[in-house]
Amino acid sequence: MDITRTGDSGALRVTTLAQGWPDDRPGGLNRYVADLHAGLGRAGVDEELVVFGPAASAPGRVRRAVPEDSGMAARLLSTAREGVASGRGSAVVVSHFAMYGLLPSLVLRLTRRTPLVAHFHGPWAGESASSGAGRASAAAKQLVERVHVRSAAAVVTASRAFGQLVQDVHGVPASRVHPIHPGVDLDRFHPLPEPERAALRRRLGVPDGGRLVVTARRLVPRMGIDVLLQAWPGGPDDRLVVVGDGPSRAALEAEAARLGRPGVVFAGRVDEEALVAHYQAADAVVVPSTALEGFGLVVLEALACGTPVVASDLGGLSEVLPGLDPTLMVPPDDVPALRARLQAALAGDLPDRAACRATAQEHSREAFAAAVAAVYRQVAAEAAERGARRASRRPAPGAERAR
């Protein structure tokens, strides 16, 4: 038996436990998973994904668990069932979220000695606490996540900042932490020729001579949209479009009305095609996070469309933009500093679109997938070596009777 468990083509077989598919539920984590899945195939990894249904547009190597709006017990059991069934033939089990990855990864490790690679996208308990979760709920999430990442043979993070955080918060040894910046689909996220971009801006309702600024975020307190609303300096012909939804939306809409900010539009959740269009049309994208920002895939997606990004000097956001233009970074939760940089942006003080695109091209989906695939292969090889050592210590058949 090939204990490294490769497919017929020689590709490393991996089972990955994720959440939803981006066409069903847009969001950075789901796009991260889908883009990585596409890249891993070209990097010699045969990955079978377990995601919540319906995932109708997902490729064939995807197992559908119950829909994401099912009850928690149904989601946990369905994910575990599909993950264990897929994992029986895999060299590595991969998890993108502790709640759904812990049970099937434990079962596969106990029954088949299958090693786990955990992608750490952020401190679950910390994010929940910042959104108002109770102390008991946050403590339970902290425990689940800690057991999960400590049991992993390797932990992949989207930034050095979160690589350090998973060591500090959960005590994961540095030798098991692999910071790898995510990649962007450079074909999907691309600049438009100027005539097409001008026509798109008109369709989005940007007046001639006006400026368009976009922020695409889940609407929760740590994303800093309230700071952005206070800082917004745009005039009547300028537009600030807030793409995304979340529990803070009603409060943010009320705050925008109270402040009397002209040109602020809450677009809600949009599909992938509309998200790309907003990036392509914008003069600038803003990422005003105030806490727990691991990287922000939105940064690379906007840059790939040729659009500059103004962002908080925080976490992983500080690991890409300074190389393009250090003035794009502002202190988090600093209304005057953000207002000043946005005023400069509206006046045209921004990197050119070609430079933005060139920065994104340094972070291709293919290079990202190749780096992640190398971690998977290392973990599989180490597990195979341990298996070979165990096999060598077993007595040969009949050895006990011979003695």
Side-chain angles (χ1 to χ4, degrees), residues 214-237:
V214 170
T215 187
R217 307 263 74 192
R218 175 165 164 72
L219 303 187
V220 295
R222 68 184 180 86
M223 296 302 183
I225 306 302
D226 57 331
V227 178
L228 175 56
L229 292 175
Q230 294 174 57
W232 175 240
D237 289 338

Side-chain angles (χ1 to χ4, degrees), residues 163-217:
Q164 188 61 53
L165 189 148
V166 78
Q167 296 173 59
D168 295 343
V169 172
H170 294 305
V172 177
S175 60
R176 283 196 262 145
V177 178
H178 301 263
I180 303 173
H181 287 159
V184 62
D185 184 343
L186 293 166
D187 294 326
R188 176 185 296 174
F189 295 92
H190 64 275
L192 286 179
E194 201 52 44
E196 293 180 32
R197 182 168 172 266
L200 176 59
R201 288 165 65 86
R202 286 192 292 271
R203 290 199 301 274
L204 292 175
V206 182
D208 291 342
R211 293 285 190 160
L212 172 62
V213 174
V214 170
T215 187
R217 307 263 74 192

Side-chain angles (χ1 to χ4, degrees), residues 214-232 240-246 248-249 251-253 255-256 259 261 264-266 286-291 293 312 333 335 338 342:
V214 170
T215 187
R217 307 263 74 192
R218 175 165 164 72
L219 303 187
V220 295
R222 68 184 180 86
M223 296 302 183
I225 306 302
D226 57 331
V227 178
L228 175 56
L229 292 175
Q230 294 174 57
W232 175 240
L240 170 63
V241 177
V242 181
V243 174
D245 209 343
S248 297
R249 179 172 176 176
L252 290 169
E253 290 179 329
E255 177 70 359
L259 292 168
R261 295 292 186 248
V264 176
V265 177
F266 285 83
V286 186
V287 185
S289 305
T290 59
E293 184 61 74
S312 297
D333 209 8
V335 172
L338 182 56
L342 289 175

Side-chain angles (χ1 to χ4, degrees), residues 123-184:
W124 186 24
E127 292 173 0
S128 296
S130 72
S131 297
R135 187 174 299 175
S137 173
K141 292 172 180 177
Q142 177 96 335
L143 177 61
V144 169
E145 186 171 75
R146 178 166 296 174
V147 170
H148 191 52
V149 295
R150 283 187 174 179
S151 67
V155 178
V156 176
T157 67
S159 63
R160 294 186 295 275
F162 267 19
Q164 188 61 53
L165 189 148
V166 78
Q167 296 173 59
D168 295 343
V169 172
H170 294 305
V172 177
S175 60
R176 283 196 262 145
V177 178
H178 301 263
I180 303 173
H181 287 159
V184 62

Side-chain angles (χ1 to χ4, degrees), residues 55 65 82 97 114 132 244-245 249-250 254 266 269 279 282 289 334 354 373:
E82 298 298 333
F97 188 39
T114 307
D245 209 343
R249 179 172 176 176
F266 285 83
R269 185 179 295 165
Y279 291 152
S289 305
D334 188 330

